[in-house]
Amino acid sequence: MIKYLPLIFTLLLSTEVKADRNWIDSSRHKGLDRAAVQVPFNVYTTSPLQPQHLPVLKRLTKAKAFFDSQFALDLPFAVMMLDNAHWESIAYYPPPGMPQAWKGNIILGLDNSTMASKVRNALTPLPADIKSSLFQTYGKELNLDRFYRDILAIHELAHLYHFYERTTPQRKWLQELFAALAMVTFVHNRCVECFEEMDVYPQFILSGGKRGIEYTSLDNFETMYLPGLGPKNYEWFQMHFYQWAQEILAQDGEEALVKLRRFLIDTDLSSTTRMDNETLINQLRENVSSHLATLVERWESTNASSTQ
């Protein structure tokens, strides 16, 4: 049996976290302009903000207020908005325009993301009736940055709420599930007008089943994270984590989000040993959500590891 702090005690500990602004990697801000916008975080850009960039900043402001309240933490962070031409030299990871979060920074695109553009081009040959829900939500031009930037920015902000304390979770898929659950919980509680933008594209991807997907087990996700999976396979996993998040919120409410964050932090590999899969599932059932544990068991029973 692993040693794990009682959940009530760890929830009390969460109120004692002191915000440390020094955790923000300010070296990435050199040469950027600080935008004059009324938000509770600094915004740095490679070129002036345009009206289409303001909604995501307002959304992040609302999400910060919600997550701060949930986690009893006034999280310090900065937002960097970069054009595609400067992405490689400033951002932590490719591809240009794809939201990312690390070391106290959220990095977003000023231009159309290359990922959104590639997906839109891939969808072009499909019959219009198959894409009707996408057109209704993202416009006839299929502006998928309304999902990839304006929605996934919330997912990336959520990552910072556990990166602030620990960065080596028991499983990487678990930290991705946490970010998905945080995004879903925020939208359901504070941004219901965002729901279609959040939901329609994932449902479209999920409707395709396993077509073209090579790796399906959580062990595959863990050992091949991130570049080894490839963009399509990685996104397929993320859409299923999103689906899990919807189920967990419906079953357990907002409390599951707080419990999962504490679990990520308290079982981080910087201070504990790696659990085997059976122990991990039992600990999730005991300390986070019995429904989550069931989802993991069900998934692993139907998705065997693929040979790399």
Side-chain angles (χ1 to χ4, degrees):
M1 179 65 67
I2 67 167
K3 293 182 179 179
Y4 183 66
L5 291 172
L7 188 62
I8 293 177
F9 179 62
T10 57
L11 288 174
L12 290 173
L13 284 181
S14 69
T15 65
E16 299 176 1
V17 174
K18 306 298 183 184
D20 179 8
R21 296 189 176 275
N22 292 328
W23 90 297
I24 300 173
D25 178 11
S26 59
S27 68
R28 301 278 170 163
H29 307 159
K30 293 178 181 178
L32 303 182
D33 297 322
R34 183 173 169 184
V37 287
Q38 297 298 312
V39 292
F41 43 82
N42 290 337
V43 179
Y44 301 92
T45 69
T46 51
S47 57
L49 295 177
Q50 301 301 316
Q52 67 267 25
H53 301 132
L54 300 181
V56 69
L57 297 178
K58 293 179 180 178
R59 192 170 290 177
L60 284 172
T61 298
K62 290 176 64 175
K64 171 177 166 50
F66 179 72
F67 294 147
D68 281 355
S69 175
Q70 290 287 308
F71 305 133
L73 171 65
D74 180 9
L75 182 75
F77 65 91
V79 172
M80 301 160 61
M81 299 199 72
L82 312 177
D83 55 35
N84 288 352
H86 290 89
W87 193 271
E88 274 193 33
S89 62
I90 301 173
Y92 295 105
Y93 314 107
M98 194 67 180
Q100 56 188 250
W102 188 243
K103 295 184 178 180
N105 288 308
I106 298 174
I107 305 181
L108 306 174
L110 288 170
D111 303 327
N112 293 333
S113 70
T114 57
M115 187 70 177
S117 298
K118 287 179 179 179
V119 172
R120 184 172 59 249
N121 292 338
L123 293 172
T124 299
L126 296 180
D129 59 329
I130 293 178
K131 300 180 288 188
S132 61
S133 63
L134 297 176
F135 285 131
Q136 291 171 12
T137 302
Y138 307 109
K140 62 182 180 180
E141 72 286 358
L142 284 185
N143 180 10
L144 290 175
D145 280 303
R146 291 171 61 184
F147 173 80
Y148 278 110
R149 181 186 63 204
D150 298 352
I151 289 295
L152 292 188
I154 304 165
H155 175 109
E156 295 304 316
L157 173 60
H159 276 309
L160 293 184
Y161 279 86
H162 68 90
F163 289 162
Y164 184 72
E165 295 194 53
R166 297 289 189 273
T167 58
T168 51
Q170 282 287 326
R171 302 290 191 277
K172 292 181 176 66
W173 63 259
L174 203 53
Q175 76 177 17
E176 295 302 330
L177 176 61
F178 167 77
L181 181 58
M183 178 181 72
V184 167
T185 304
F186 164 71
V187 168
H188 277 273
N189 284 275
R190 294 291 187 275
C191 197
V192 291
E193 69 275 12
C194 312
F195 179 77
E196 295 298 321
E197 286 185 3
M198 177 183 72
D199 190 64
V200 169
Y201 180 65
Q203 296 303 336
F204 179 83
I205 296 299
L206 289 167
S207 69
K210 293 183 180 179
R211 186 170 57 249
I213 300 302
E214 183 174 3
Y215 304 106
T216 62
S217 77
L218 295 178
D219 284 341
N220 288 150
F221 185 88
E222 200 66 21
T223 58
M224 305 186 75
Y225 184 92
L226 177 62
L229 288 167
K232 182 177 181 178
N233 213 143
Y234 177 72
E235 183 174 71
W236 180 84
F237 272 110
Q238 288 284 15
M239 298 312 179
H240 282 279
F241 297 151
Y242 167 77
Q243 190 175 53
W244 286 15
Q246 295 275 24
E247 290 190 35
I248 293 166
L249 179 63
Q251 288 283 332
D252 300 313
E254 297 175 27
E255 186 179 8
L257 177 62
V258 177
K259 288 181 177 180
L260 181 52
R261 177 176 178 267
R262 287 312 319 171
F263 186 85
L264 281 170
I265 293 167
D266 293 338
T267 64
D268 192 86
L269 295 175
S270 64
S271 56
T272 62
T273 58
R274 190 180 190 275
M275 304 177 201
D276 60 39
N277 288 343
E278 182 179 357
T279 302
L280 178 64
I281 290 171
N282 289 336
Q283 288 296 310
L284 288 171
R285 179 176 287 110
E286 181 179 343
N287 295 290
V288 181
S289 162
S290 61
H291 188 67
L292 169 55
T294 299
L295 285 171
V296 176
E297 289 175 324
R298 188 184 304 156
W299 183 271
E300 292 298 77
S301 69
T302 57
N303 293 277
S305 295
S306 303
T307 303
Q308 298 178 34

